[in-house]
Amino acid sequence: MARKASLSGFPELLPEERLVENHVLDTLRETFELHGFSNIETRSVETKEQLLRKGEIDKEVYGISRLLDENSTTKSEKEQLALHFDLTVPFARYVVENAGYLNFPFMRYQMQKVWRGERPQDGRFREFTQADVDVVGDGALPFRYDVELALVVIESLRKLEIGDFKLRVNNRKLSEGFYRGIGLDDTAGVLRSIDKLEKIGPDAVAQLLKDELGASDEQAQAALNLAQICTEDTSFVNEVKKLGVEHALLEEGLRELEEVVGQAAKRAPGNIVADLSIARGLDYYTGTVYETVLVGHEKLGSICSGGRYESLASNGKRNFPGVGLSIGVTRLVSRIISQKMAEPTRKVPSAVLIALTSDQTWSDAQDVADSLRQRGIACEVSATAAKFGKQIKFAEKRGIPFVWFVSTKEDGSLKHEVKDIRSGEQIEADPQHWAPSTEDLHVRIEAAQ
């Protein structure tokens, strides 16, 4: 990812960088499944009508058609195809179409590429991988899943050893109830203004509230006072109450956020933050909202975000509420690689290079390789019988720790020796029983010291 891309916004990785990405994906997959989530994959293509159902983002959607399709411009949105720009919209369609085959609450995770026509910059790409984890219900969804999602994501990111991070949590009911309590009924408009707080600052946000929503100085200041509350425990409840605003929706949001933060702080202290400036400007969020930042890399933006939506999808007769989070895998991996936050212990999967003493020993070397591979030891065989020093150098460049030598004894039997090229130690070895240490068996991704 450090190389100059020939197509801007479409990243490609070197083999050792791909090892880091695979480690991230494998860790997420393992953690999601430990919590009971099932994996699905949806198609990359949706109809334009389906993709634009949740908002006007047509400038970011990549349409697709056959190069010689003369009717592509006259087709209706139901007929026009486009690449999905996230995994939530395809998931909503998937739930509706397969509702009769799913058990609810349905817990799914999904890791796929998505495409978005954004201006490429640090952390933003046109083609990138997302990892989504959601729970969706049929008609209703217990609130406890909002807590579960926070714990799943915290556990996943902790396992990646990416340094300190903060899962910032708020609740739309809390915010909307507060705004109604101070007389601002256009709560969606207030949320969109508050969502710009980190970009333009409190003074500019206050002016937006007054100019666009007709807020008084007192109302604008009250909205900012709420947004400035940020605690790592449930003490935010008292801070909100001190503001003296009352509304039933506010009370409901306070109770829900208190449960999320209380449980997460108990199990993952230091990683959860009640941050009442988090607005998530998208209209479909209805309760808990999440954003995650890497400490020291805040300018990268959120690496994981999401929230509760009371209507993920509907087929007219049934409504499917849900709660979910999306991890920007490519954004996260790009920062891990560029900042050397974690690195693979070697560039290739192979733990052993089987050297050739002569071209005639290639078949014997393959026998050794077969024996090692049958026992789960990744290895490769030299293609030519170059000088041993050159073969060892080849292994060294790739980070392969062991070189295996096969020679013929005076009685015609084969002699096997394996050399640890890091220490120089060389010992006789039996292909049927020898194995590297647990640490050397597989590539490991190690956090920077």
Side-chain angles (χ1 to χ4, degrees):
M1 206 171 279
R3 274 128 311 284
K4 183 177 179 180
S6 55
L7 279 177
S8 179
F10 294 87
E12 293 180 326
L13 301 176
L14 291 175
E16 58 266 35
E17 296 171 338
R18 177 63 173 161
L19 287 170
V20 174
E21 183 178 56
N22 279 339
H23 167 71
V24 171
L25 294 171
D26 290 343
T27 301
L28 296 177
R29 182 182 298 109
E30 177 187 16
T31 309
F32 295 160
E33 292 183 357
L34 283 173
H35 284 259
F37 290 83
S38 299
N39 181 234
I40 68 166
E41 181 170 292
T42 57
R43 63 198 186 210
S44 300
V45 174
E46 300 286 342
T47 64
K48 184 178 177 182
E49 178 188 47
Q50 182 73 33
L51 288 175
L52 301 184
R53 199 170 275 178
K54 290 293 183 180
E56 291 297 326
I57 58 165
D58 51 304
K59 291 182 180 179
E60 295 183 3
V61 174
Y62 283 109
I64 63 170
S65 64
R66 291 186 293 113
L67 290 177
L68 299 180
D69 188 353
E70 296 177 356
N71 301 316
S72 61
T73 58
T74 60
K75 289 181 177 179
S76 69
E77 287 191 352
K78 288 185 178 180
E79 298 173 299
Q80 293 179 44
L81 302 179
L83 293 169
H84 59 221
F85 61 86
D86 73 357
L87 300 179
T88 302
V89 174
F91 178 50
R93 173 196 53 77
Y94 178 94
V95 169
V96 170
E97 292 181 356
N98 296 283
Y101 304 95
L102 303 175
N103 295 312
F104 294 94
F106 177 48
M107 303 168 63
R108 89 72 160 97
Y109 76 92
Q110 190 172 347
M111 298 189 292
Q112 288 181 237
K113 286 188 180 297
V114 300
W115 295 266
R116 195 173 296 175
E118 294 189 301
R119 182 173 65 85
Q121 52 187 299
D122 185 24
R124 289 190 178 275
F125 306 91
R126 292 172 175 170
E127 179 183 65
F128 53 99
T129 300
Q130 284 187 330
D132 281 22
V133 56
D134 288 74
V135 184
V136 61
D138 185 0
L141 183 69
F143 175 74
R144 291 284 169 77
Y145 285 111
D146 291 46
V147 183
E148 177 76 10
L149 263 293
L151 297 177
V152 169
V153 165
I154 289 173
E155 183 179 331
S156 300
L157 296 180
R158 278 186 161 187
K159 285 181 178 178
L160 291 176
E161 298 184 11
I162 53 176
D164 195 14
F165 65 90
K166 300 292 182 185
L167 178 62
R168 304 158 70 192
V169 192
N170 194 7
N171 191 292
R172 292 285 283 265
K173 295 176 185 176
L174 188 164
S175 300
E176 291 182 19
F178 185 91
Y179 304 148
R180 293 185 188 280
I182 61 175
L184 294 175
D185 292 329
D186 184 1
T187 57
V190 180
L191 285 166
R192 283 192 291 271
S193 296
I194 293 296
D195 199 34
K196 300 173 182 176
L197 190 58
E198 290 186 354
K199 292 182 179 179
I200 64 177
D203 292 340
V205 168
Q207 198 62 48
L208 275 178
L209 293 172
K210 289 184 283 188
D211 293 345
E212 297 183 1
L213 302 172
S216 66
D217 289 339
E218 292 76 15
Q219 288 172 323
Q221 188 57 53
L224 288 173
N225 288 342
L226 180 72
Q228 289 168 359
I229 294 175
C230 184
T231 70
E232 292 191 356
D233 53 29
T234 58
S235 61
F236 71 89
V237 176
N238 287 332
E239 293 193 31
V240 173
K241 289 183 176 180
K242 286 178 184 178
L243 298 178
V245 177
E246 294 184 0
H247 194 278
L249 193 60
L250 167 61
E251 293 300 322
E252 185 180 351
L254 272 174
R255 288 193 300 271
E256 290 184 354
L257 187 58
E258 183 178 21
E259 185 169 355
V260 173
V261 175
Q263 288 297 324
K266 177 181 178 182
R267 289 168 171 76
N271 290 129
I272 189 79
V273 177
D275 187 338
L276 305 196
S277 70
I278 301 301
R280 301 295 298 153
L282 297 172
D283 293 341
Y284 55 76
Y285 290 119
T286 56
T288 309
V289 285
Y290 317 85
E291 284 193 358
T292 312
V293 294
L294 293 175
V295 175
H297 302 272
E298 287 82 2
K299 289 185 178 180
L300 182 65
S302 178
I303 59 167
C304 174
S305 58
R308 159 76 71 144
Y309 29 79
E310 289 308 321
S311 183
L312 168 73
S314 175
N315 62 6
K317 296 179 180 179
R318 299 164 69 181
N319 183 59
F320 303 96
V323 60
L325 281 148
S326 177
I327 298 174
V329 173
T330 304
R331 175 177 289 191
L332 180 58
V333 169
S334 70
R335 187 50 56 106
I336 292 173
I337 292 171
S338 65
Q339 300 297 311
K340 299 187 183 299
M341 298 166 70
E343 294 181 309
T345 52
R346 55 181 184 259
K347 295 182 178 181
V348 295
S350 300
V352 182
L353 173 70
I354 302 163
L356 297 184
T357 54
S358 68
D359 287 328
Q360 287 69 42
T361 61
W362 186 84
S363 182
D364 294 330
Q366 287 292 344
D367 291 339
V368 175
D370 288 344
S371 179
L372 294 178
R373 289 167 185 155
Q374 286 171 11
R375 293 185 291 112
I377 303 169
C379 59
E380 52 191 270
V381 178
S382 286
T384 59
K387 292 181 179 179
F388 282 159
K390 191 172 183 179
Q391 293 185 69
I392 291 172
K393 196 74 174 177
F394 175 79
E396 214 167 35
K397 285 182 178 179
R398 295 158 65 82
I400 299 174
F402 298 98
V403 176
W404 194 287
F405 301 99
V406 183
S407 59
T408 304
K409 298 180 181 178
E410 290 183 1
D411 61 4
S413 63
L414 296 177
K415 180 180 180 181
H416 296 276
E417 294 180 290
V418 63
K419 180 173 186 173
D420 184 334
I421 63 175
R422 298 162 300 185
S423 65
E425 181 184 14
Q426 186 167 323
I427 59 172
E428 286 198 38
D430 181 351
Q432 301 295 326
H433 298 98
W434 179 88
S437 67
T438 302
E439 286 192 346
D440 288 327
L441 182 58
H442 300 295
V443 178
R444 290 173 290 108
I445 307 299
E446 295 184 340
Q449 300 299 318

